[in-house]
Amino acid sequence: MLNPKYLKTFTTLAETGSFTKTAEQLFMTQPGVSQHVKKLEQSCECELLVRLGKGIELTEQGRQVYHYAREDETRQQQFLEQLKFDEPHQGRCTLACSGAVALRIYPGLTALQAKHPELAIHLEVAPRHRIVESLKQGVIDIGIVTNTPADDSLSADYLAEEVLHLFLPATITDFTTINTTLNQLGLVDHPDAAHYLQLYCNHSGEDSLASLEVAKLKRSGYVNQLSQILLPVSAGVGFTVLPASVEKHAGHGSNIAVYPAASTVSEPLYLVRSRHRNLPARFAGVSEVIKAAFNSAKSINGKPQWI
């Protein structure tokens, strides 16, 4: 049987990549960390990591041991939660969503945690596919995604429609040849850019955009930090498509323009969780905060729209 203490040391080392940081986090000495790793390797009968100067790299066996340890830790956490009295304002809540949604819900979640300090809210920004996989594996408790997952093990509650905007430099004032303009500017790419742009083109109500070949479009750059994606657009070096709500957090104001599409383009958002797991009472408050963030949205065509 693998020693839990050695596994904890090893997973911390794998995540920090540093013997020094691991020793500091676990209140150990560096030789103590090395000794734990050595004993774990002896138990596993294989090498788990390679030292690279001041850093490390896990071997294939090391990666397997790391994933095993993390899964075991999750199982133990869930088991301990089941043994505790179900307090409505105490315990750990893990959730994941897109960066744009995080901007919307995190202020309310922070206020909830400030009101109930025994709550520990862990919010991760992640792409849709990783959120779904994390839910199925039990790594997170709830997630917010676009489109209902095609998996019977998950349940989804509709939240709102997320409006998408095509953002252009403010210097662009002639929209009569929008396809030519977009090809000249180039797309400021980001993890969801191709998906958003294709969705926008398909549902904008304009034939010119519907014929745009997204895959062949020039890319003028790539940014994976949500708060920075509109910066190159404001500087006039490209265009992009993002949820409308991002604009007020970006702070570029008069330097960007929104293309006036014939039809409003949006996609649905769903609150998703495991169908067969009864969430602890504390998630009632968390869900209320999330839903409240969307209840203030405007209603278009009978559906609440977050803009």
Side-chain angles (χ1 to χ4, degrees):
M1 182 176 179
L2 299 179
N3 188 307
K5 185 178 293 186
Y6 300 161
L7 286 172
K8 177 62 176 177
T9 303
F10 179 71
T11 56
T12 304
L13 178 60
E15 290 169 357
T16 63
S18 165
F19 280 82
T20 302
K21 292 180 180 178
T22 299
E24 290 174 352
Q25 286 191 22
L26 300 180
F27 303 100
M28 298 173 62
T29 63
Q30 290 188 49
V33 173
S34 297
Q35 186 179 39
H36 280 195
V37 172
K38 183 177 180 180
K39 289 184 176 180
L40 184 60
E41 288 179 326
Q42 290 173 348
S43 298
C44 295
E45 299 182 346
C46 60
E47 187 178 50
L48 301 180
L49 58 84
V50 177
R51 294 175 184 258
L52 301 172
K54 294 183 178 181
I56 64 162
E57 181 174 349
L58 299 185
T59 63
E60 179 59 29
Q61 293 91 337
R63 284 191 286 271
Q64 292 182 35
V65 170
Y66 171 76
H67 290 304
Y68 164 83
R70 293 294 292 159
E71 290 172 0
D72 187 61
E73 184 179 340
T74 299
R75 286 194 296 269
Q76 287 190 42
Q77 180 65 35
Q78 292 175 349
F79 175 70
L80 291 174
E81 286 179 1
Q82 294 173 8
L83 297 179
K84 295 178 181 178
F85 184 73
D86 197 5
E87 289 284 352
H89 305 302
Q90 180 177 332
R92 177 186 173 102
C93 300
T94 59
L95 60 153
C97 61
S98 69
V101 172
L103 289 174
R104 181 76 171 183
I105 67 174
Y106 196 50
L109 293 174
T110 301
L112 179 67
Q113 188 169 357
K115 185 177 179 181
H116 304 290
E118 293 301 313
L119 275 177
I121 295 175
H122 296 249
L123 176 62
E124 179 183 0
V125 172
R128 181 186 182 279
H129 71 276
R130 199 165 82 203
I131 294 173
V132 172
E133 284 304 311
S134 295
L135 282 166
K136 290 165 64 176
Q137 295 170 8
V139 177
I140 61 174
D141 301 301
I142 57 177
I144 300 174
V145 299
T146 57
N147 301 322
T148 55
D151 192 309
D152 292 338
S153 68
L154 302 177
S155 66
D157 294 324
Y158 176 81
L159 285 174
E161 295 289 314
E162 183 175 57
V163 175
L164 300 179
H165 277 176
L166 171 57
F167 291 104
L168 300 159
T171 52
I172 304 298
T173 56
D174 182 6
F175 303 125
T176 56
T177 55
I178 186 62
N179 275 22
T180 300
T181 299
L182 297 184
N183 276 289
Q184 289 175 344
L185 284 172
L187 174 67
V188 177
D189 207 359
H190 58 82
D192 293 316
H195 166 71
Y196 283 158
L197 180 55
Q198 191 65 67
L199 184 67
Y200 190 93
C201 291
N202 291 345
H203 298 280
S204 64
E206 300 187 12
D207 293 338
S208 59
L209 287 177
S211 65
L212 188 69
E213 295 185 76
V214 174
K216 295 182 180 180
L217 200 63
K218 181 181 78 172
R219 266 56 175 175
S220 61
Y222 177 89
V223 188
N224 68 352
Q225 292 295 320
L226 183 66
S227 61
Q228 299 298 313
I229 295 174
L230 288 179
L231 179 60
V233 178
S234 70
V237 296
F239 78 94
T240 198
V241 179
L242 283 169
S245 58
V246 175
E247 182 179 4
K248 67 179 180 180
H249 297 282
H252 300 299
S254 60
N255 293 323
I256 55 176
V258 176
Y259 178 71
S263 300
T264 298
V265 182
S266 66
E267 63 177 352
L269 292 173
Y270 296 89
L271 184 63
V272 185
R273 66 183 185 86
S274 172
R275 185 181 301 277
H276 306 295
R277 181 187 171 199
N278 293 323
L279 292 174
R282 59 184 175 273
F283 280 93
V286 171
S287 296
E288 286 177 6
V289 167
I290 292 173
K291 290 175 181 178
F294 293 95
N295 285 341
S296 60
K298 294 182 179 180
S299 179
I300 299 178
N301 296 326
K303 293 183 177 181
Q305 287 206 323
W306 166 27
I307 59 177

